[in-house]
């Protein structure tokens, strides 16, 4: 009876050791996954920041273009008026 109790204890200890080894493996894998996901998140964050910079640069270029066309609007209208006058003149007197 004493021998059977020792065998049961030994078997229980082996099962506990095996369970601890499995837990160690699981935690190691989880640690690797968390580390790789952290790297992925950093890359995504960097890409989002770069995209934000590009969007801001694009917005600045659009503002510059709007200011340039607004400042030259009178000149553009004069050019079209002269072009229309030339077309009408050529049509009637050409």
């Amino acid at each position: 009876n004493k021998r059977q109790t020792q065998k049961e204890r030994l078997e229980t200890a082996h099962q506990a050791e095996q369970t601890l080894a499995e837990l160690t493996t699981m935690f190691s894998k989880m640690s690797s996954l968390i580390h790789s996901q952290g790297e992925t998140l950093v890359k995504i964050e960097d890409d989002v920041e770069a995209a934000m910079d590009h969007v801001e640069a694009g917005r600045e270029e659009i503002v510059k273009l709007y200011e340039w066309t607004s400042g030259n609007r009178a000149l553009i209208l004069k050019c079209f008026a002269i072009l229309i006058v030339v077309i009408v003149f050529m049509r009637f007197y050409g």
Side-chain angles (χ1 to χ4, degrees), residues 8-32:
E8 288 174 358
R9 286 183 183 171
L10 183 61
E11 189 177 313
T12 304
H14 283 302
Q15 286 177 346
E17 182 182 7
Q18 186 177 10
T19 303
L20 285 174
E22 289 173 2
L23 283 172
T24 302
T25 303
M26 285 173 44
F27 280 113
S28 175
K29 288 180 181 180
M30 284 178 55
S31 176
S32 297

Short mmCIF file of all heavy atoms in Angstrom, two decimals, residues 8-32:
data_model
loop_
_atom_site.label_atom_id
_atom_site.label_comp_id
_atom_site.label_asym_id
_atom_site.label_seq_id
_atom_site.Cartn_x
_atom_site.Cartn_y
_atom_site.Cartn_z
N GLU A 8 1.90 6.64 -6.91
CA GLU A 8 0.91 7.68 -7.24
C GLU A 8 1.51 9.06 -7.10
O GLU A 8 1.29 9.94 -7.92
CB GLU A 8 -0.32 7.53 -6.35
CG GLU A 8 -1.18 6.33 -6.68
CD GLU A 8 -2.33 6.14 -5.68
OE1 GLU A 8 -2.44 6.92 -4.71
OE2 GLU A 8 -3.10 5.19 -5.89
N ARG A 9 2.28 9.23 -6.02
CA ARG A 9 2.94 10.54 -5.81
C ARG A 9 3.95 10.81 -6.93
O ARG A 9 4.04 11.93 -7.43
CB ARG A 9 3.64 10.57 -4.46
CG ARG A 9 2.70 10.69 -3.30
CD ARG A 9 3.48 10.77 -2.02
NE ARG A 9 2.59 10.82 -0.87
CZ ARG A 9 2.96 10.74 0.39
NH1 ARG A 9 4.25 10.59 0.66
NH2 ARG A 9 2.09 10.81 1.35
N LEU A 10 4.70 9.77 -7.29
CA LEU A 10 5.68 9.93 -8.37
C LEU A 10 4.98 10.25 -9.68
O LEU A 10 5.41 11.15 -10.43
CB LEU A 10 6.53 8.67 -8.51
CG LEU A 10 7.64 8.71 -9.56
CD1 LEU A 10 8.64 9.81 -9.23
CD2 LEU A 10 8.33 7.36 -9.65
N GLU A 11 3.88 9.56 -9.96
CA GLU A 11 3.12 9.83 -11.18
C GLU A 11 2.53 11.23 -11.16
O GLU A 11 2.57 11.96 -12.16
CB GLU A 11 1.99 8.80 -11.33
CG GLU A 11 1.29 8.87 -12.66
CD GLU A 11 0.23 7.78 -12.80
OE1 GLU A 11 0.54 6.62 -12.48
OE2 GLU A 11 -0.88 8.13 -13.24
N THR A 12 2.02 11.65 -10.03
CA THR A 12 1.48 13.01 -9.88
C THR A 12 2.59 14.04 -10.10
O THR A 12 2.38 15.06 -10.75
CB THR A 12 0.84 13.18 -8.50
OG1 THR A 12 -0.16 12.18 -8.32
CG2 THR A 12 0.21 14.55 -8.35
N ALA A 13 3.78 13.77 -9.57
CA ALA A 13 4.91 14.69 -9.75
C ALA A 13 5.31 14.77 -11.22
O ALA A 13 5.60 15.86 -11.73
CB ALA A 13 6.09 14.24 -8.89
N HIS A 14 5.32 13.63 -11.91
CA HIS A 14 5.64 13.63 -13.34
C HIS A 14 4.59 14.41 -14.14
O HIS A 14 4.94 15.17 -15.06
CB HIS A 14 5.75 12.20 -13.88
CG HIS A 14 7.02 11.50 -13.54
ND1 HIS A 14 8.26 11.97 -13.88
CD2 HIS A 14 7.24 10.33 -12.87
CE1 HIS A 14 9.20 11.15 -13.44
NE2 HIS A 14 8.60 10.13 -12.81
N GLN A 15 3.34 14.23 -13.79
CA GLN A 15 2.27 14.98 -14.48
C GLN A 15 2.42 16.48 -14.22
O GLN A 15 2.25 17.30 -15.13
CB GLN A 15 0.89 14.49 -14.01
CG GLN A 15 0.51 13.15 -14.55
CD GLN A 15 -0.84 12.68 -13.99
OE1 GLN A 15 -1.35 13.22 -13.02
NE2 GLN A 15 -1.39 11.63 -14.62
N ALA A 16 2.75 16.85 -12.99
CA ALA A 16 2.95 18.27 -12.66
C ALA A 16 4.14 18.82 -13.43
O ALA A 16 4.10 19.95 -13.97
CB ALA A 16 3.15 18.43 -11.16
N GLU A 17 5.21 18.03 -13.53
CA GLU A 17 6.39 18.46 -14.28
C GLU A 17 6.05 18.64 -15.75
O GLU A 17 6.45 19.62 -16.38
CB GLU A 17 7.49 17.42 -14.12
CG GLU A 17 8.78 17.79 -14.83
CD GLU A 17 9.85 16.72 -14.70
OE1 GLU A 17 9.56 15.62 -14.19
OE2 GLU A 17 10.98 16.98 -15.15
N GLN A 18 5.28 17.70 -16.31
CA GLN A 18 4.89 17.79 -17.71
C GLN A 18 3.99 19.01 -17.94
O GLN A 18 4.16 19.74 -18.92
CB GLN A 18 4.16 16.52 -18.13
CG GLN A 18 3.85 16.46 -19.61
CD GLN A 18 3.18 15.13 -19.98
OE1 GLN A 18 2.79 14.35 -19.12
NE2 GLN A 18 3.04 14.90 -21.27
N THR A 19 3.07 19.25 -17.01
CA THR A 19 2.18 20.41 -17.12
C THR A 19 2.99 21.71 -17.06
O THR A 19 2.76 22.64 -17.84
CB THR A 19 1.12 20.38 -16.00
OG1 THR A 19 0.40 19.16 -16.09
CG2 THR A 19 0.17 21.55 -16.12
N LEU A 20 3.96 21.77 -16.16
CA LEU A 20 4.81 22.96 -16.06
C LEU A 20 5.63 23.16 -17.33
O LEU A 20 5.81 24.29 -17.79
CB LEU A 20 5.74 22.85 -14.85
CG LEU A 20 5.08 23.09 -13.49
CD1 LEU A 20 6.07 22.80 -12.37
CD2 LEU A 20 4.57 24.51 -13.39
N ALA A 21 6.12 22.07 -17.91
CA ALA A 21 6.88 22.18 -19.16
C ALA A 21 5.98 22.71 -20.28
O ALA A 21 6.39 23.57 -21.07
CB ALA A 21 7.46 20.82 -19.54
N GLU A 22 4.74 22.22 -20.34
CA GLU A 22 3.80 22.70 -21.36
C GLU A 22 3.48 24.18 -21.13
O GLU A 22 3.41 24.96 -22.09
CB GLU A 22 2.51 21.87 -21.32
CG GLU A 22 2.68 20.46 -21.84
CD GLU A 22 1.43 19.60 -21.64
OE1 GLU A 22 0.41 20.13 -21.12
OE2 GLU A 22 1.47 18.42 -22.00
N LEU A 23 3.29 24.56 -19.88
CA LEU A 23 3.01 25.98 -19.58
C LEU A 23 4.20 26.85 -19.96
O LEU A 23 4.03 27.94 -20.51
CB LEU A 23 2.70 26.15 -18.09
CG LEU A 23 1.30 25.73 -17.65
CD1 LEU A 23 1.19 25.77 -16.13
CD2 LEU A 23 0.25 26.62 -18.28
N THR A 24 5.40 26.37 -19.69
CA THR A 24 6.60 27.13 -20.06
C THR A 24 6.66 27.33 -21.57
O THR A 24 6.94 28.43 -22.05
CB THR A 24 7.86 26.40 -19.57
OG1 THR A 24 7.79 26.23 -18.16
CG2 THR A 24 9.11 27.17 -19.93
N THR A 25 6.37 26.27 -22.32
CA THR A 25 6.35 26.37 -23.78
C THR A 25 5.28 27.35 -24.24
O THR A 25 5.53 28.19 -25.12
CB THR A 25 6.09 24.97 -24.39
OG1 THR A 25 7.09 24.07 -23.93
CG2 THR A 25 6.13 25.03 -25.91
N MET A 26 4.09 27.26 -23.64
CA MET A 26 3.01 28.16 -24.04
C MET A 26 3.37 29.62 -23.77
O MET A 26 3.16 30.49 -24.60
CB MET A 26 1.71 27.80 -23.30
CG MET A 26 1.04 26.55 -23.83
SD MET A 26 -0.38 25.98 -22.87
CE MET A 26 -1.28 27.46 -22.55
N PHE A 27 3.94 29.89 -22.58
CA PHE A 27 4.31 31.27 -22.25
C PHE A 27 5.43 31.77 -23.16
O PHE A 27 5.47 32.95 -23.53
CB PHE A 27 4.70 31.40 -20.78
CG PHE A 27 3.52 31.51 -19.86
CD1 PHE A 27 3.23 30.49 -18.96
CD2 PHE A 27 2.70 32.62 -19.89
CE1 PHE A 27 2.14 30.58 -18.12
CE2 PHE A 27 1.61 32.73 -19.06
CZ PHE A 27 1.32 31.70 -18.16
N SER A 28 6.34 30.89 -23.53
CA SER A 28 7.41 31.28 -24.45
C SER A 28 6.84 31.65 -25.81
O SER A 28 7.22 32.67 -26.40
CB SER A 28 8.40 30.13 -24.58
OG SER A 28 9.38 30.44 -25.53
N LYS A 29 5.89 30.83 -26.31
CA LYS A 29 5.26 31.15 -27.59
C LYS A 29 4.46 32.45 -27.50
O LYS A 29 4.49 33.26 -28.43
CB LYS A 29 4.34 30.00 -28.02
CG LYS A 29 5.08 28.77 -28.48
CD LYS A 29 4.13 27.66 -28.88
CE LYS A 29 4.88 26.42 -29.33
NZ LYS A 29 3.95 25.33 -29.71
N MET A 30 3.75 32.63 -26.40
CA MET A 30 2.98 33.87 -26.23
C MET A 30 3.90 35.08 -26.20
O MET A 30 3.60 36.12 -26.79
CB MET A 30 2.14 33.82 -24.94
CG MET A 30 0.91 32.95 -25.06
SD MET A 30 -0.03 32.83 -23.54
CE MET A 30 -0.35 34.54 -23.16
N SER A 31 5.04 34.93 -25.54
CA SER A 31 6.01 36.02 -25.49
C SER A 31 6.51 36.38 -26.89
O SER A 31 6.63 37.56 -27.24
CB SER A 31 7.18 35.63 -24.59
OG SER A 31 8.17 36.62 -24.60
N SER A 32 6.79 35.35 -27.68
CA SER A 32 7.25 35.58 -29.06
C SER A 32 6.17 36.28 -29.88
O SER A 32 6.46 37.21 -30.63
CB SER A 32 7.62 34.26 -29.73
OG SER A 32 8.68 33.66 -29.08
#
